[in-house]
Amino acid sequence: MILKGVLFDLDGTLGDHDASVAAALAAWLPSIGMASDEATIRAWEEITERHLVAWRRREISYAEQRRRRLEEFLGVRHDPDEADAIFAGYLAHYDTGYRACPDAVAAVDEAAGAGLAVAVLTNGSAVQQRGKLRRIGLSHIAQVFTPDDLGVAKPDPEAFRLACGRWGIEPGSVLSVGDNHAFDVLAAREAGLRAVHLDRSGSGPVEEMCRISTLGALDAYL
Ligand SMILES: [Mg+2]
């Protein structure tokens, strides 16, 4: 089947999520009386992942996931409005600090220039993820699929099937590109897409044959 579209992941693929988290924590933690040290940052990341799992399974809302993260992190239960207000402090730093990965815009341009349709499939709230795409100069990507729209999240292969269905391109003609091997590569293949692992850190599975270390190497797959 001829390649017709490239489906990019957002966080860690087009946008530098990790750097935004680090910068946001460095600014936010002192403002709530906490040290911005390595152990605290690691705790935040571990707690975040644990509660995102429940959200991805659709057991809790995105807002609730944030409240539970905060409760576990601070060891204090706030009422929802209070918790949302505290979390907003972190979020403001995170969102305004969100930057494109240096190779992102060129890769999107290259795919479009090759005559391919470009879309994004991302695990995050629709409003926030569209805001990030605006911030990094990729708001012209019209097709943005999130669990809010699809009702399922990666790594459920159904997220890919539904995204391709809405996009109007058969899965076999779509290349998934992302930094999470299980989510963006294995789940995509299970849904019938082609996939390439963006392994920026070089820590991904060595047996993966379709592996690039930067988006600059994506052209070999287009
Ligand atoms: Mg990612």
Side-chain angles (χ1 to χ4, degrees):
M1 248 187 282
I2 188 170
L3 186 66
K4 293 180 184 165
V6 181
L7 186 59
F8 287 96
D9 167 56
L10 176 54
D11 290 323
T13 299
L14 297 176
D16 197 345
H17 168 79
D18 287 347
S20 303
V21 170
L25 289 175
W28 176 64
L29 287 172
S31 78
I32 58 165
M34 293 179 77
S36 171
D37 55 33
E38 216 170 290
T40 310
I41 292 169
R42 206 170 325 114
W44 174 262
E45 286 168 350
E46 281 167 14
I47 290 166
T48 296
E49 184 51 31
R50 196 155 46 244
H51 293 289
L52 279 173
V53 169
W55 166 73
R56 285 198 290 263
R57 292 194 196 121
R58 311 308 279 175
E59 293 164 5
I60 55 173
S61 69
Y62 204 68
E64 179 59 21
Q65 161 278 128
R66 286 175 172 164
R67 291 171 196 140
R68 291 188 185 185
R69 275 159 69 180
L70 199 66
E71 180 182 346
E72 187 176 344
F73 183 66
L74 299 177
V76 185
R77 180 159 188 82
H78 293 89
D79 70 46
D81 286 348
E82 254 181 318
D84 292 351
I86 297 168
F87 200 95
Y90 164 74
L91 216 50
H93 290 293
Y94 173 83
D95 281 340
T96 55
Y98 200 80
R99 299 284 179 269
C101 295
D103 49 10
V105 174
V108 169
D109 286 351
E110 184 154 24
L116 300 167
V118 172
V120 167
L121 173 61
T122 169
N123 277 0
S125 82
V127 170
Q128 188 182 16
Q129 299 305 78
R130 283 180 184 280
K132 290 187 204 171
L133 284 166
R134 257 197 314 279
R135 189 169 290 284
I136 64 176
L138 290 174
S139 59
H140 56 285
I141 300 179
Q143 302 285 350
V144 181
F145 306 107
T146 72
D148 286 349
D149 326 304
L150 303 174
V152 284
K154 298 183 280 188
D156 188 334
E158 192 62 12
F160 287 92
R161 287 189 203 102
L162 289 170
C164 289
R166 291 190 183 196
W167 200 10
I169 306 180
E170 61 270 65
S173 293
V174 174
L175 176 69
S176 169
V177 183
D179 66 306
N180 186 313
H181 191 253
F183 285 34
D184 303 312
V185 177
L186 298 184
R189 286 186 187 139
E190 207 175 319
L193 288 79
R194 313 171 196 195
V196 57
H197 185 211
L198 174 61
D199 186 11
R200 293 190 185 279
S201 63
S203 59
V206 288
E207 65 273 17
E208 174 57 58
M209 299 305 289
C210 300
R211 195 151 61 117
I212 54 177
S213 59
T214 76
L215 289 175
L218 185 63
D219 55 347
Y221 293 86
L222 304 181

